[in-house]
Amino acid sequence: MPPGGGGPRPFSVYVHVPYCRVRCGYCDFNTYTNLAMGSGASVGDYVGTLAGEMRRARAAMDAAGLPARPARTVFLGGGTPTMLPVADLARVLDLVRHTFGLDDEAEVTTEANPDTVDERGLAALAEAGFTRVSVGMQSAVPEVLRVLDRTHTPERVPQVVGWARRAGLATSLDLIYGTPGESMEDWRRSLDAAVETGPDHLSAYALVIEEGTRMWTQVRRGELPMPEDDDEAAKYEMADAALAGAGYRWYEISNWSRPGFECRHNQAYWLDWDWWGAGPGAHSHLGDVRLWNVKHPLAWAGRVSAGRLAVDGHEVIDPESRRLEQVMLGIRLRHGLDLASLGPESGTPAHLVPVVAGLVADGLLEPAAAMKGRAVLTLRGRLMADTVTRALTA
């Protein structure tokens, strides 16, 4: 439910665009470099297939008695959404507007790689109703970008941010730390470059080398070193200090922004809103039900062309799982977790009092907030959020 009580949950829309120019070695997302996969799944067919999926989704939600709610946030992710022509991206937003409705103050974001956008295209996106662009910067060091298989040059990022700003779009930069071979000086250089660029919002994620990726194979062969936890922790602390010193405030473990520029779509996930995920492999969340689409674009297109939803499976979230998610997501936020929400009565549940005291003593929770019944992570606690979650849900 929205903060403060009654009414249906707010509603968001996520659209997965699966196409990429190059598949990065660390990437385990549902992405494809083949832009001509076949009927309904190729780049030129994508929006038409998406329209069919959204119509069926709207009909299914109506049949289930779910309330009609205009989308408060829309997020195009991938993949690389800006592999689509700007006119197609505008059509996607029109689909959302006409199928679900779009709130007058909606936040509308597209992800973009720096080398897949230009000044004219960004201006056209703003004219179409987009409000925000999230740019995959990752690093300002050419050698680090090479290890990550990124195709842009460091100089391109400030150029794109400048174009977006002139178009009236809010800007976000995504950074990755812990790339094999990245030194502390490399990371400092990336942070300094990001701050100098002056985006409204920054995300910084520790590199996770997932089994099955090309980078995982390179590490197994000894061609690249495995990232070390202590190195990544030190880089996170460096990021927090550098960004705080530049006027950015953390509002979620991996996200910082200038006041008023928090990503509302990301907050929708953490605050338990409803959302519909459209596109190959997209996930949806409606009440206590979670659903996910078939992953391959051809299979997705085949389901839609047959007049069916592209849903591949679903699960009902039981009370125990919901409580775990409530803690796991809530603890990541700057305002923390209301401990009273974990028990049937007001105040911190009795069985958690010694647990919270121990977490405070270990320097993982803020003492003043704990005294007021909230679990708020310290800087050290942010590095050990999983430990805090386990303690509060044991």
Side-chain angles (χ1 to χ4, degrees), residues 224-241:
L224 293 174
M226 176 67 81
E228 296 180 0
D229 291 345
D230 288 347
D231 175 74
E232 291 189 337
K235 286 173 178 171
Y236 180 89
E237 292 174 336
M238 178 184 286
D240 189 64

Side-chain angles (χ1 to χ4, degrees), residues 43-375:
V43 164
D45 300 332
Y46 174 79
V47 180
T49 306
L50 191 69
E53 182 192 3
M54 285 194 186
R55 284 195 301 269
R56 289 168 180 83
R58 174 72 270 171
M61 291 168 66
D62 290 342
L66 292 171
R69 294 155 288 173
R72 295 196 191 180
T73 71
V74 179
F75 195 100
L76 276 62
T80 308
T82 46
M83 289 293 290
L84 295 179
V86 170
D88 280 359
L89 296 176
R91 287 173 61 202
V92 170
L93 185 54
D94 280 340
L95 286 176
V96 174
R97 186 180 286 114
H98 296 141
T99 307
F100 300 107
L102 192 64
D103 188 87
D104 290 341
E105 301 298 323
E107 174 194 88
V108 182
T109 304
T110 184
E111 292 182 332
N113 282 347
D115 51 3
T116 61
V117 291
D118 58 26
E119 185 167 19
R120 180 179 297 179
L122 289 168
L125 286 176
E127 180 67 24
F130 284 79
T131 65
R132 189 173 178 274
V133 61
S134 179
V135 180
M137 173 180 173
Q138 318 310 4
S139 175
V141 180
E143 177 60 21
V144 174
L145 291 174
R146 187 194 66 76
V147 173
L148 292 172
D149 296 316
R150 305 297 289 183
T151 57
H152 67 273
T153 63
E155 296 76 22
R156 180 74 171 182
V157 174
Q159 188 176 33
V160 169
V161 170
W163 291 337
R165 187 178 291 120
R166 285 194 288 276
L169 294 168
T171 55
S172 179
L173 296 179
D174 280 357
L175 297 169
I176 289 178
Y177 57 92
T179 299
E182 179 190 58
S183 67
M184 292 297 289
E185 181 54 37
D186 289 337
W187 179 232
R188 166 62 72 180
R189 183 174 161 189
S190 294
L191 289 169
D192 288 347
V195 167
E196 185 176 353
T197 299
D200 303 300
H201 180 283
L202 291 113
S203 301
Y205 301 105
L207 179 66
V208 177
I209 301 180
E210 300 287 357
E211 185 173 350
T213 62
R214 185 165 66 253
M215 185 172 283
W216 179 77
T217 300
Q218 291 173 304
V219 169
R220 284 197 64 189
R221 290 174 176 169
E223 297 168 6
L224 293 174
M226 176 67 81
E228 296 180 0
D229 291 345
D230 288 347
D231 175 74
E232 291 189 337
K235 286 173 178 171
Y236 180 89
E237 292 174 336
M238 178 184 286
D240 189 64
L243 297 178
Y248 296 92
R249 187 177 79 157
W250 81 277
Y251 69 95
E252 189 275 340
I253 288 177
S254 299
N255 290 274
W256 293 257
S257 75
R258 300 193 189 281
F261 286 95
E262 298 82 1
C263 177
R264 287 192 279 132
H265 186 83
N266 284 345
Q267 290 177 316
Y269 298 144
W270 301 317
L271 296 175
D272 199 33
W273 289 17
D274 281 354
W275 70 86
W276 184 265
H283 285 231
S284 303
H285 173 248
L286 300 169
D288 290 329
V289 179
R290 185 161 292 136
L291 314 95
W292 51 91
N293 282 355
V294 293
K295 292 184 70 172
H296 197 281
L298 276 171
W300 167 74
R303 295 274 184 103
V304 175
S305 67
R308 302 162 56 193
L309 282 175
V311 173
D312 193 36
H314 76 280
E315 63 180 350
V316 178
I317 306 168
D318 59 49
E320 183 178 348
S321 298
R322 179 164 288 284
R323 181 173 179 273
L324 174 62
E325 289 188 0
Q326 177 187 359
V327 174
M328 182 176 62
L329 297 176
I331 203 69
R332 296 182 65 88
L333 299 173
R334 183 182 182 90
H335 64 254
L337 179 69
D338 179 7
L339 292 166
S341 68
L342 303 181
E345 301 177 0
S346 61
T348 303
H351 74 282
L352 287 180
V353 170
V355 174
V356 172
L359 293 170
V360 169
D362 290 341
L364 303 181
L365 292 181
E366 296 284 357
M371 290 291 290
K372 297 176 181 177
R374 298 199 72 83

